[in-house]
Amino acid sequence: MSESETKSGTSPVSGIGRMTGFSDGVFAIVITLLVIELRVPEHRPGELLSALLEQASVYLAFLLSFGYVGVIWLNHHSVLRLIRATTIGLNWINLWLLLGIVIIPFPTMVLADAFAHAGTDGDRRVAVLLYALAAASMSAPWLAFFGYLRRHPSLLAEGVDEDYVSAQRIRPVVGMALYLITGALGWFVSPVLGLLGIGVMIIFHSLTSGGLRFGRWRRRRPA
Amino acid sequence: MSESETKSGTSPVSGIGRMTGFSDGVFAIVITLLVIELRVPEHRPGELLSALLEQASVYLAFLLSFGYVGVIWLNHHSVLRLIRATTIGLNWINLWLLLGIVIIPFPTMVLADAFAHAGTDGDRRVAVLLYALAAASMSAPWLAFFGYLRRHPSLLAEGVDEDYVSAQRIRPVVGMALYLITGALGWFVSPVLGLLGIGVMIIFHSLTSGGLRFGRWRRRRPA
Amino acid sequence: MSESETKSGTSPVSGIGRMTGFSDGVFAIVITLLVIELRVPEHRPGELLSALLEQASVYLAFLLSFGYVGVIWLNHHSVLRLIRATTIGLNWINLWLLLGIVIIPFPTMVLADAFAHAGTDGDRRVAVLLYALAAASMSAPWLAFFGYLRRHPSLLAEGVDEDYVSAQRIRPVVGMALYLITGALGWFVSPVLGLLGIGVMIIFHSLTSGGLRFGRWRRRRPA
Amino acid sequence: MSESETKSGTSPVSGIGRMTGFSDGVFAIVITLLVIELRVPEHRPGELLSALLEQASVYLAFLLSFGYVGVIWLNHHSVLRLIRATTIGLNWINLWLLLGIVIIPFPTMVLADAFAHAGTDGDRRVAVLLYALAAASMSAPWLAFFGYLRRHPSLLAEGVDEDYVSAQRIRPVVGMALYLITGALGWFVSPVLGLLGIGVMIIFHSLTSGGLRFGRWRRRRPA
């Protein structure tokens, strides 16, 4: 516990191999977890088709969750390419990020349940607010991540600009604000409007993480 | 979001390590997921054996699903050896591929349920059609994958011929067509015939991805 | 499908990175899967302790399964160090190996169920036979694995002796024979005796894969 | 089984790649496993909010478990950086470590159940004792791990001091003692006090594995 500096076994800075492998394992499990909910519906003989169609909201929730986790994986992949090494401090922040990802299936299913079955308008407001709060809280560790990198520029990969990293902090702040607005919309105005807002947010996320870079790549084809 | 080119932190092209690791995680989970369905059957004392035998269709569905996911893993393994790097665009296509894989347990279990229990002929038609549609839709991302590589030849691994990649696009098209025919067969003619068609398709897939290459390997033993 | 040799995109021989990663994913999932069965038992207020103790056979089944999968992982780890590369043929054999591993939780739970609850003597015979048959059938892919390596010595890692690999084929044959004898013992003589035989087999496996090598390691300490 | 030394296929010492990959897979699965328990609560229409709030103890158990597994992963990550290679003996000890991790969700849920529902004081004593015993028993493999390294210094990574490794053995001994005291406190004095003790222990663990190193890192910034 109070080991002196001279007895230290390893450098406090390590490669990102295990951080990456562990994170990919968590992403892989979360993205496949919701398929467990896709079950053969109870049905009377001859009514399989209608029973399958009645589950539509479960399929949508599955697709929404798959797309959302996929987008976050792409972001995580991009961000980890900014660094060449990690510390225990950064590993803690990464664990915080993974906590947000691991939770996703829960608000997704609450949402599916509230909109599918005989959920009242009040229940739907609760479900939309819960989802928006979960999504908003997922932005906090990203802010910590970029802030940590700004304070420890020696962890950055070669050729990565410190200003670029600092500028990235605006993205989680904007995301958090927009999700909170979406949640307020769903709670005070209309749950359906809030649900639409969440869908728009995820599509927007996927476009800014995927689309813009994709466009750039077309213009500047690398060797 | 609108970061200028000069502030870009990393090249838009990255190694395929994480794409591979994440995909392998998803494959590993999906291929073991169905075993959760292999449960100790409810039975009266002394009737374990007959209760186990009654679950035969669940075992078959498990084996079918295991074999199918295994074949797709082998294909994924072969195809990813064609590339040396990836982009966000290609990562998106890979996520689309994984979506198809993650879904597999669901139509498999619908199939097992419809053929095992008191499913009517109509239910079986639905189950075969669902499985064929799921399998056919899984061909679409492969088409996108090869098309993307054709447009971005700089991503190809050393020594990989561009014409070879272009020619690969015929395989998902043929697969999609055959699965749709199989589904139509199951729906309009006979569900049992459709089920046989699906079995033949999977065996055919495994032979063309494994068998042919295996034959070639025997002939041309590498150093 | 019938692509000519000149258009081949990649060598039929590939590194074992993905084979290893995919296998480790499957091992990791299977070894943690049974913990899902360790549930808080239904109990009346104040009777948690006795309810926990009544589940003893589930804990034993969990430990047995954990140990068994662990031993197989150690074996898999040792065997894959014999090779430097893989082919689609060897990947197929590895999938066959993984099939056996994925199945383990099922006969384990049947065993736990038959010995814990009001299982009759007949049910216990069935459960022991099922477990022995599953364990015996798991030896077959190992036999195929070593046979394949004997026919393709170019896949062997540097310094690995071909005779050593050939000699390894005796182990799965012996294992298969012993598990079948154990199953027959459980079926014809006594299920408890069969269960003991299974326990002895797993301990024996763990000693021959771990103990002997461990002993050797002590004697010949490497640089 | 009794293969002569001259026929040995591979060195008894191997790289730690697979040990790491397999462990990360197990960690990733365990850390996401409890989220399966976060289910949409049964509720009457319009009462979703109160039904969600009633599950508070399940959320706490999930967070506790997530934090605990996260801390152990960080420790595992740190410890494995001390070694450059592994043997079958060390792989066995690592499996023993993983056994302790895989079990975590079970005592966590027993704890959540005893404190949430109509658990009696006696049930809560049982639950706290079970958790403390599970946590204490997890220290044993760490002791074996450091002891093994002390006897096999050739496995240590470059620049790692043997005295440092020997000194590390004090940590699991202290941890084991403190968890046993905590369990005794919960059993003989008060379950709530025991529960507080467990929380303090996990926070303490996270500070000693994360905080101290983190502090050092700030002082000695590496190149």
Side-chain angles (χ1 to χ4, degrees):
Chain A
M1 275 148 272
S2 59
E3 63 258 14
S4 71
E5 296 268 331
T6 53
K7 283 205 176 175
S8 166
T10 53
S11 156
V13 180
S14 62
I16 64 169
R18 280 202 70 179
M19 189 192 196
T20 309
F22 177 58
S23 302
D24 278 344
V26 171
F27 275 109
I29 296 158
V30 172
I31 214 168
T32 46
L33 211 64
L34 261 193
V35 86
I36 297 181
E37 301 303 323
L38 295 180
R39 303 205 146 276
V40 184
E42 299 276 331
H43 63 96
R44 271 175 295 182
E47 298 186 2
L48 176 60
L49 185 60
S50 57
L52 285 172
L53 294 176
E54 267 168 30
Q55 286 189 323
S57 80
V58 178
Y59 308 145
L60 281 174
F62 166 74
L63 284 175
L64 184 77
S65 188
F66 188 95
Y68 194 23
V69 177
V71 168
I72 300 169
W73 181 79
L74 287 172
N75 272 320
H76 195 261
H77 177 76
S78 292
V79 169
L80 256 64
R81 289 180 58 219
L82 297 173
I83 61 175
R84 64 163 186 83
T86 182
T87 62
I88 292 205
L90 204 60
N91 282 342
W92 270 109
I93 295 172
N94 191 54
L95 274 175
W96 186 11
L97 268 169
L98 294 179
L99 175 63
I101 290 148
V102 161
I103 284 172
I104 292 175
F106 179 59
T108 309
M109 292 203 55
V110 171
L111 206 62
D113 193 72
F115 279 85
H117 305 306
T120 64
D121 191 66
D123 286 348
R124 291 175 183 179
R125 282 172 203 272
V126 170
V128 168
L129 185 65
L130 178 72
Y131 199 100
L133 287 177
S137 72
M138 279 180 58
S139 298
W142 288 108
L143 195 59
F145 195 97
F146 290 117
Y148 190 89
L149 288 185
R150 203 172 66 102
R151 292 194 306 279
H152 301 87
S154 64
L155 295 177
L156 293 179
E158 222 176 306
V160 173
D161 196 58
E162 289 187 37
D163 291 345
Y164 175 80
V165 171
S166 283
Q168 292 293 308
R169 284 182 302 162
I170 191 72
R171 284 185 62 178
V173 173
V174 170
M176 212 185 298
L178 288 178
Y179 272 120
L180 289 178
I181 291 169
T182 307
L185 219 82
W187 182 260
F188 292 112
V189 186
S190 148
V192 175
L193 217 65
L195 188 61
L196 283 174
I198 289 170
V200 168
M201 283 295 290
I202 291 176
I203 290 167
F204 171 77
H205 263 299
S206 68
L207 289 180
T208 55
S209 83
L212 292 185
R213 286 167 186 275
F214 182 44
R216 245 194 296 144
W217 148 246
R218 288 230 174 183
R219 266 177 280 133
R220 273 199 325 177
R221 193 170 298 178
Chain B
M1 276 151 269
S2 60
E3 62 259 15
S4 71
E5 296 270 330
T6 53
K7 284 206 175 176
S8 167
T10 53
S11 155
V13 180
S14 62
I16 63 169
R18 281 202 69 178
M19 188 193 197
T20 307
F22 177 59
S23 302
D24 277 344
V26 170
F27 275 109
I29 297 158
V30 172
I31 215 167
T32 45
L33 210 64
L34 260 192
V35 86
I36 297 182
E37 300 302 323
L38 295 180
R39 304 205 144 275
V40 184
E42 299 275 332
H43 64 96
R44 271 175 294 183
E47 299 185 1
L48 176 60
L49 185 60
S50 56
L52 285 171
L53 294 176
E54 266 169 29
Q55 286 189 324
S57 80
V58 178
Y59 308 145
L60 281 175
F62 166 73
L63 284 175
L64 184 76
S65 189
F66 188 95
Y68 195 23
V69 177
V71 168
I72 300 169
W73 180 79
L74 287 173
N75 272 319
H76 195 261
H77 177 75
S78 292
V79 168
L80 256 63
R81 290 180 58 219
L82 297 173
I83 62 175
R84 63 163 187 84
T86 183
T87 62
I88 292 204
L90 204 59
N91 282 342
W92 270 109
I93 294 172
N94 192 51
L95 274 175
W96 186 10
L97 269 168
L98 294 178
L99 174 63
I101 290 149
V102 161
I103 284 172
I104 291 175
F106 179 59
T108 308
M109 292 203 54
V110 171
L111 207 62
D113 193 73
F115 278 85
H117 305 306
T120 63
D121 190 68
D123 286 347
R124 292 177 181 177
R125 283 171 203 273
V126 170
V128 169
L129 186 64
L130 179 72
Y131 199 99
L133 287 178
S137 71
M138 280 181 57
S139 299
W142 288 108
L143 195 59
F145 195 96
F146 290 117
Y148 190 89
L149 288 185
R150 203 172 66 103
R151 290 194 308 278
H152 301 87
S154 63
L155 296 176
L156 293 178
E158 221 175 307
V160 173
D161 196 60
E162 290 187 38
D163 290 345
Y164 174 80
V165 171
S166 283
Q168 292 293 309
R169 285 182 301 161
I170 191 72
R171 282 185 64 179
V173 173
V174 170
M176 210 184 299
L178 288 178
Y179 272 120
L180 289 179
I181 291 169
T182 307
L185 219 81
W187 181 260
F188 292 114
V189 185
S190 148
V192 175
L193 215 66
L195 188 61
L196 283 174
I198 289 170
V200 169
M201 284 294 292
I202 291 175
I203 291 167
F204 171 78
H205 263 300
S206 68
L207 288 180
T208 55
S209 83
L212 292 185
R213 285 166 186 277
F214 183 44
R216 246 193 294 143
W217 148 244
R218 288 229 174 183
R219 266 177 280 132
R220 273 199 326 178
R221 193 171 298 176
Chain C
M1 276 151 268
S2 59
E3 61 258 16
S4 70
E5 297 269 331
T6 52
K7 283 206 175 174
S8 167
T10 53
S11 155
V13 179
S14 62
I16 64 169
R18 282 202 69 178
M19 189 193 197
T20 308
F22 177 58
S23 302
D24 278 343
V26 170
F27 275 109
I29 297 158
V30 172
I31 214 167
T32 45
L33 211 63
L34 261 192
V35 87
I36 298 183
E37 301 301 323
L38 295 181
R39 305 205 144 274
V40 184
E42 299 276 333
H43 63 97
R44 271 175 294 181
E47 300 186 1
L48 176 59
L49 185 60
S50 57
L52 285 172
L53 294 176
E54 267 169 29
Q55 286 190 323
S57 79
V58 178
Y59 308 145
L60 280 176
F62 166 74
L63 284 175
L64 184 77
S65 188
F66 188 95
Y68 194 23
V69 177
V71 169
I72 300 169
W73 180 79
L74 287 172
N75 271 321
H76 195 262
H77 177 74
S78 293
V79 169
L80 257 61
R81 289 180 59 218
L82 297 174
I83 61 174
R84 62 163 188 83
T86 183
T87 61
I88 292 204
L90 205 59
N91 282 341
W92 270 108
I93 294 171
N94 191 52
L95 275 174
W96 186 10
L97 270 168
L98 295 179
L99 174 63
I101 291 148
V102 162
I103 283 172
I104 291 174
F106 178 60
T108 308
M109 293 202 53
V110 170
L111 207 61
D113 193 71
F115 279 84
H117 304 306
T120 64
D121 190 68
D123 287 347
R124 290 175 183 181
R125 283 172 202 273
V126 170
V128 169
L129 185 64
L130 179 72
Y131 199 98
L133 287 178
S137 71
M138 280 180 57
S139 299
W142 288 108
L143 194 60
F145 196 96
F146 290 117
Y148 190 89
L149 288 185
R150 202 172 65 102
R151 290 193 307 277
H152 300 86
S154 63
L155 297 177
L156 293 178
E158 221 175 307
V160 174
D161 195 60
E162 289 187 37
D163 290 344
Y164 175 80
V165 170
S166 283
Q168 292 292 308
R169 284 181 302 160
I170 191 72
R171 283 185 63 179
V173 172
V174 170
M176 212 184 298
L178 288 177
Y179 272 121
L180 289 178
I181 291 168
T182 308
L185 219 82
W187 181 261
F188 293 112
V189 186
S190 148
V192 175
L193 216 67
L195 188 61
L196 283 174
I198 290 169
V200 168
M201 283 294 291
I202 291 175
I203 291 167
F204 171 77
H205 264 300
S206 68
L207 289 180
T208 55
S209 82
L212 292 185
R213 285 167 186 276
F214 183 45
R216 245 193 296 142
W217 148 244
R218 287 233 173 179
R219 265 176 280 135
R220 273 200 324 179
R221 193 168 299 173
Chain D
M1 277 150 269
S2 60
E3 62 259 14
S4 71
E5 297 268 331
T6 52
K7 283 204 175 177
S8 167
T10 53
S11 156
V13 180
S14 61
I16 63 169
R18 280 202 70 177
M19 190 192 196
T20 309
F22 177 58
S23 302
D24 278 343
V26 170
F27 276 109
I29 296 160
V30 172
I31 214 168
T32 45
L33 211 64
L34 260 192
V35 86
I36 297 183
E37 302 301 324
L38 295 180
R39 304 205 145 275
V40 184
E42 299 276 332
H43 63 97
R44 271 175 295 182
E47 299 186 2
L48 175 60
L49 185 59
S50 57
L52 285 173
L53 294 176
E54 268 169 30
Q55 286 190 322
S57 81
V58 178
Y59 308 145
L60 281 175
F62 166 75
L63 283 175
L64 184 77
S65 189
F66 188 95
Y68 194 22
V69 177
V71 168
I72 300 170
W73 181 79
L74 287 172
N75 271 320
H76 195 262
H77 177 75
S78 293
V79 169
L80 257 62
R81 289 179 59 218
L82 297 173
I83 61 174
R84 63 162 187 83
T86 183
T87 62
I88 291 204
L90 205 59
N91 281 342
W92 270 108
I93 295 172
N94 191 53
L95 273 175
W96 186 11
L97 270 168
L98 295 179
L99 175 63
I101 292 149
V102 161
I103 284 172
I104 292 174
F106 178 60
T108 308
M109 292 205 55
V110 171
L111 207 61
D113 193 71
F115 278 84
H117 305 306
T120 64
D121 191 65
D123 287 347
R124 290 175 184 179
R125 284 171 203 273
V126 171
V128 168
L129 185 64
L130 178 72
Y131 199 99
L133 287 178
S137 71
M138 278 180 59
S139 299
W142 288 107
L143 194 59
F145 195 96
F146 290 117
Y148 190 89
L149 288 185
R150 202 172 65 101
R151 292 193 306 279
H152 300 86
S154 63
L155 296 177
L156 293 178
E158 223 175 306
V160 173
D161 196 58
E162 289 187 37
D163 290 344
Y164 175 80
V165 170
S166 283
Q168 291 293 307
R169 284 182 302 162
I170 190 71
R171 285 186 62 180
V173 173
V174 171
M176 213 184 296
L178 288 177
Y179 273 122
L180 288 178
I181 291 169
T182 308
L185 219 82
W187 181 260
F188 293 112
V189 185
S190 147
V192 175
L193 216 65
L195 189 61
L196 283 174
I198 290 170
V200 168
M201 284 293 291
I202 291 175
I203 290 166
F204 170 77
H205 263 299
S206 68
L207 289 181
T208 54
S209 83
L212 292 185
R213 286 168 185 276
F214 182 45
R216 245 192 294 143
W217 149 246
R218 288 234 175 180
R219 267 177 280 134
R220 273 200 324 178
R221 193 169 297 177

